[in-house]
Amino acid sequence: QFLQTNGSGVLTWATAGGSWSLISTTTASNDSYADITFSGSYSIYKITFVNMIGPDNENLNHQFLIGGVVQTGTTYKYGNIFIDSNGGTGTNASGSAGSVKMTYAPMGAATGDNTSGTVTIYNPGSGLIKNTDWTFNGTQKVGSYMNKNVGGSSWAGANTAWSGFRVLYSSGNIASGVMKLWGQA
């Protein structure tokens, strides 16, 4: 909340617009995937990822849920760019994928390695085109470099409301990690 004036010098408390509301927290522990269910009628969702650890040398991916059913096939489009602490850079993209790679460089799972970041999801409950963008920081498997991944995706399937978001690695289980779902009207 914030203080606002009513024009006559009288201050009152008002609810701030544009703030994020915490909806749910999902903790993964040796799971093949984690489903995060959208709730409410938010136009924007954000998922924060804290200390995600998966199998060594694998990418962190996502898929969407419609009516609680994961969407597969070749309807995902995405692009990534990364830079690592050794000065390496790279890009990767797909116009017809079965899931979205959110980390370009395979991530590490050695002691102390982790990946953290944020995904923002726009218009998931509407008939509009749905898009995401993300940023992740983590330890890259090759050479144990720190890297920054930035990217985005869209879904070429029917313009049906998304009911959730599935998080998984390209192979193997999510060893551990916390995912928090936030909503903004």
Side-chain angles (χ1 to χ4, degrees), residues 16-24 37-48 119-121 124 180-185:
S19 60
W20 291 98
S21 300
L22 179 61
I23 299 167
S24 66
T37 303
F38 301 146
S39 60
S41 57
Y42 297 101
S43 59
I44 303 171
Y45 288 92
K46 175 172 61 174
I47 303 170
T48 53
V119 172
T120 306
I121 302 145
K180 293 187 177 199
L181 177 65
W182 305 82
Q184 187 179 81

Side-chain angles (χ1 to χ4, degrees), residues 15-35:
T15 301
S19 60
W20 291 98
S21 300
L22 179 61
I23 299 167
S24 66
T25 300
T26 302
T27 301
S29 177
N30 199 30
D31 298 311
S32 57
Y33 60 86
D35 285 348

Side-chain angles (χ1 to χ4, degrees), residues 39-93:
S39 60
S41 57
Y42 297 101
S43 59
I44 303 171
Y45 288 92
K46 175 172 61 174
I47 303 170
T48 53
F49 295 78
V50 180
N51 298 330
M52 299 296 293
I53 299 173
D56 215 13
N57 205 28
E58 297 294 336
N59 299 91
L60 186 60
N61 294 358
H62 82 257
Q63 296 172 313
F64 291 107
L65 305 172
I66 294 178
V69 176
V70 68
Q71 301 303 298
T72 58
T74 59
T75 54
Y76 296 100
K77 300 172 188 270
Y78 67 87
N80 278 309
I81 186 169
F82 90 95
I83 186 166
D84 68 35
S85 60
N86 196 42
T89 61
T91 60
N92 128 333

Side-chain angles (χ1 to χ4, degrees), residues 111-136:
T111 302
D113 288 352
N114 68 76
T115 301
S116 297
T118 303
V119 172
T120 306
I121 302 145
Y122 303 94
N123 304 312
S126 73
L128 300 172
I129 293 174
K130 295 152 190 70
N131 299 292
T132 66
D133 63 42
W134 59 79
T135 181
F136 283 93

